[in-house]
Amino acid sequence: MVNQTNNPAINIKNLKCHYGDKLALDDINLTVAEREILVIMGHSGSGKSTLFKNVLGLVTPTAGVVEVLGRDISKLKKKELYELRKSVGVAFQNGALFSSLSVRENIELPLREHTRLDDSTIQIMTMMKLAQMNLVGHEDLMPAQLSGGMLKRAGLARAVIMDPKLLFFDEPSAGLDPVTSAELDQLILQLRDALNMSIIIITHELESAFNVADRITILDRGKQILTGTREEVRASDDKRIVNMLGRKVRDEAIDAEAYLDSLTKGRSK
Amino acid sequence: MTLALTSNVKNYLLDLVERLGRSGIFLISGLWRIFTPPYRLPPLIKQIYFIGSRSLLVIVVAGIFVGMVVALQFYDTLVRFGSVSLLGAAVGLSLMRELGPVITALVVIGRVGSAICAEIGIMRNESQIDALECMAIDPYRYLIAPRLLAALISTPLLTAVFITVGIGGGYFVGVVLFEVSPGSYFIGMYDAVLWQDIIMGATKSLVFGLIMIWVATAKGFFLHLDKSGSHGSEGVSKVTTDTVVLSSIAMLYADYIVSSLIL
């Protein structure tokens, strides 16, 4: 399914990123092959969103190289970066739909801005994406009238309207019920097969991650602690990964007294 | 103590310079997009409708009452000196040179500035501006330039409407209620108001429109960089209040500068 032989869709080498004095990402090395689904996991503050922003060129790395579709984005001029972004789709956690535009207008927006297609072609393409996302009949609603799952699907429709080679999806399952979440996972797999895209997903949801991932990268406090297949992640002995997967940490007893002391230290009179 | 004070002053000044620089680059970037292709008419018309057309009613109402009050006050003063024939000139000059541009700008700041700042601030909060960047859509061209140009077109037009209905309101009080001769009302105004006064009014309305839209869009756009750290709905509320306060004060300061340059 994954094409490892060709040029990778994303190639990150020794990436470091600081926010002021704070090191947000430390020595990240990552490749995403064509048609591969890579899931990035980690606790809040682990650097997932910063990595996402670095790859999209929204943040400039302190050191290292980020190649997206064969282009080193730190060397691109703004115009070239915008040109590259036309081949990249981004679906945000909350959909990030424009509240003053209807669902249809939101989905059409990239086509209207970047192509000279006539109205009827744009409408046909939009309806195809709406059908793919199971949103037909909701196209004239405003974003405020949509449920959480529909917002994510509408955001996804807008992200793939230009048939990108690379899709980023931020927290697809966050705030969704298990059934809707599973449907969205299925949709992501269908999209990868239909559009031959590489997909990067940021998520906290273990079930969703293991449903869709070809490989999983786990970040902790800005460091990449593991990148591997689902089986490799499941088999990992790393305490942080074991904790994240919800399994009991082996060979480590919790000292409740010491833990309470650490919480109350300096507060007792 | 002194060291801490010096450090605080230094940090404040650095922050001020940073904000001024950022806002200056923001304005230049927005204005640059107005004059460079591609030119898009629909977003401009939408913004002119929002800023201009939808402010029309409140401007007309404000203009009528301000014109009436000005005529009433001047009539009461002029009648003491037996110079009621100067009523038209007094109403015309005060509306044209000062009250028209200032009160129109204050109304527009309250109605439009706050709304635009809140709209862009919410877009920033909900990652909609990041989404534009990710879709390779330049937010300056898509969001800022149409609003800047629409404000530069709409504010002088609203000021003209305000002055016109204000003169009408003054006519009602002076001519209809106090029986000043209609001829002396209009001829006095015609003789007193010079091109210089019209240029002053037009310049002020243009400058005030620019200040209002600059402050409103920049405050919303840079909501995430606000050093006070308030984001979410609290952040939007804060920058909206800041917009109204800052643009009102900046507008009054600019009023003095423009008056002193032209007079």
Side-chain angles (χ1 to χ4, degrees):
Chain A
M1 203 184 298
V2 176
N3 185 352
Q4 297 280 9
T5 55
N6 289 348
N7 291 331
I10 291 180
N11 189 11
I12 299 172
K13 292 177 203 157
N14 310 114
L15 174 67
K16 282 188 185 204
C17 182
H18 287 80
Y19 286 130
D21 297 333
K22 194 187 163 222
L23 182 62
L25 288 176
D26 187 12
D27 200 24
I28 305 290
N29 289 282
L30 203 59
T31 55
V32 181
E34 283 181 16
R35 290 174 50 80
E36 182 179 25
I37 299 181
L38 177 83
V39 172
I40 301 172
M41 296 184 73
H43 295 296
S44 299
S46 59
K48 301 188 301 289
S49 299
T50 307
L51 179 58
F52 191 66
K53 286 179 180 173
N54 271 277
V55 178
L56 288 168
L58 296 172
V59 168
T60 311
T62 320
V65 175
V66 179
E67 286 178 1
V68 177
L69 302 173
R71 311 285 304 271
D72 180 350
I73 58 165
S74 61
K75 290 184 182 158
L76 296 181
K77 292 175 184 164
K78 188 142 192 167
K79 213 168 183 176
E80 293 170 325
L81 187 61
Y82 271 25
E83 211 47 52
L84 178 69
R85 281 180 185 160
K86 290 179 191 173
S87 309
V88 177
V90 183
F92 284 80
Q93 183 175 349
N94 56 3
L97 299 179
F98 301 112
S99 40
S100 57
L101 303 180
S102 68
V103 171
R104 182 207 302 271
E105 288 167 335
N106 264 289
I107 296 170
E108 286 174 355
L109 186 65
L111 289 176
R112 293 205 180 278
E113 289 292 320
H114 298 313
T115 69
R116 293 187 176 187
L117 297 171
D118 57 88
D119 265 6
S120 58
T121 312
I122 288 179
Q123 277 177 22
I124 290 167
M125 289 176 75
T126 306
M127 287 312 291
M128 282 168 65
K129 295 297 181 212
L130 283 164
Q132 212 166 10
M133 304 296 159
N134 200 17
L135 281 170
V136 175
H138 301 100
E139 60 270 22
D140 294 322
L141 295 180
M142 299 306 279
Q145 296 171 290
L146 300 183
S147 68
M150 287 159 85
L151 273 175
K152 283 183 196 280
R153 278 183 282 144
L156 186 56
R158 189 179 64 184
V160 297
I161 191 73
M162 300 277 286
D163 291 344
K165 294 174 187 161
L166 183 60
L167 173 71
F168 291 86
F169 205 153
D170 189 10
E171 300 282 5
S173 308
L176 298 183
D177 62 85
V179 176
T180 314
S181 175
E183 284 172 2
L184 202 58
D185 293 343
Q186 206 53 44
L187 189 58
I188 290 168
L189 292 170
Q190 285 170 5
L191 272 177
R192 186 265 300 270
D193 295 337
L195 300 175
N196 282 322
M197 294 184 294
S198 307
I199 302 178
I200 296 185
I201 297 170
I202 289 180
T203 187
H204 282 97
E205 309 286 328
L206 288 170
E207 198 181 332
S208 173
F210 281 93
N211 278 343
V212 297
D214 292 317
R215 285 189 307 147
I216 296 173
T217 287
I218 298 178
L219 299 180
D220 184 59
R221 294 175 201 172
K223 287 186 191 295
Q224 181 180 2
I225 53 176
L226 176 77
T227 295
T229 61
R230 287 177 276 197
E231 292 68 30
E232 285 168 340
V233 172
R234 279 201 187 101
S236 171
D237 277 339
D238 190 299
K239 199 170 70 182
R240 294 162 293 184
I241 296 173
V242 172
N243 265 331
M244 183 184 284
L245 299 183
R247 301 187 337 233
K248 279 188 180 174
V249 182
R250 280 164 276 184
D251 305 319
E252 189 183 345
I254 294 171
D255 184 347
E257 283 294 321
Y259 179 63
L260 278 175
D261 279 350
S262 72
L263 291 177
T264 54
K265 200 175 177 183
R267 287 172 185 263
S268 52
K269 289 177 184 175
Chain B
M1 174 79 177
T2 316
L3 205 64
L5 192 69
T6 315
S7 170
N8 283 344
V9 170
K10 188 180 136 197
N11 287 341
Y12 174 78
L13 288 175
L14 280 175
D15 183 44
L16 185 70
V17 170
E18 185 189 326
R19 274 186 291 156
L20 283 174
R22 192 165 60 216
S23 303
I25 292 168
F26 173 86
L27 178 65
I28 292 165
S29 303
L31 290 173
W32 177 252
R33 264 66 166 195
I34 291 176
F35 300 109
T36 50
Y39 306 107
R40 294 273 172 85
L41 206 54
L44 177 65
I45 291 171
K46 189 177 168 187
Q47 290 306 321
I48 289 176
Y49 172 73
F50 177 68
I51 298 172
S53 201
R54 292 187 61 186
S55 303
L56 206 54
L57 183 65
V58 66
I59 288 292
V60 167
V61 172
I64 289 172
F65 287 116
V66 169
M68 287 167 71
V69 169
V70 168
L72 188 63
Q73 293 282 6
F74 273 121
Y75 180 84
D76 186 57
T77 309
L78 293 170
V79 83
R80 295 179 201 179
F81 302 103
S83 312
V84 174
S85 59
L86 292 175
L87 182 67
V91 169
L93 280 174
S94 54
L95 284 174
M96 191 73 69
R97 287 163 61 150
E98 199 58 47
L99 292 173
V102 169
I103 295 178
T104 302
L106 286 174
V107 169
V108 172
I109 286 167
R111 205 199 76 77
V112 176
S114 54
I116 284 179
C117 176
E119 185 189 5
I120 294 179
I122 288 169
M123 291 184 81
R124 172 62 75 189
N125 257 344
E126 294 186 350
S127 307
Q128 292 174 27
I129 295 178
D130 287 341
L132 279 176
E133 287 270 4
C134 292
M135 286 189 283
I137 298 172
D138 181 0
Y140 284 95
R141 190 175 298 285
Y142 186 78
L143 288 179
I144 309 303
R147 285 167 174 81
L148 281 175
L149 185 56
L152 291 176
I153 293 170
S154 303
T155 316
L157 290 176
L158 288 171
T159 305
V161 170
F162 183 96
I163 293 168
T164 308
V165 295
I167 289 169
Y171 179 90
F172 176 75
V173 169
V175 177
V176 178
L177 296 185
F178 293 120
E179 297 178 345
V180 173
S181 141
S184 74
Y185 182 81
F186 281 118
I187 288 171
M189 192 182 295
Y190 181 78
D191 287 340
V193 176
L194 307 174
W195 270 111
Q196 187 196 14
D197 305 313
I198 295 170
I199 289 167
M200 183 190 284
T203 309
K204 281 184 179 181
S205 64
L206 209 59
V207 171
F208 298 167
L210 181 66
I211 288 172
M212 180 279 296
I213 200 70
W214 179 19
V215 173
T217 49
K219 279 278 177 190
F221 198 82
F222 295 123
L223 169 77
H224 60 309
L225 300 178
D226 197 293
K227 288 274 165 67
S228 66
S230 29
H231 301 293
S233 51
E234 191 191 346
V236 173
S237 143
K238 183 183 173 297
V239 291
T240 307
T241 309
D242 288 353
T243 291
V244 173
V245 173
L246 181 61
S247 44
S248 301
I249 291 172
M251 184 270 289
L252 292 171
Y253 179 65
D255 185 24
Y256 175 76
I257 300 288
V258 174
S259 300
S260 61
L261 287 175
I262 293 180
L263 284 176

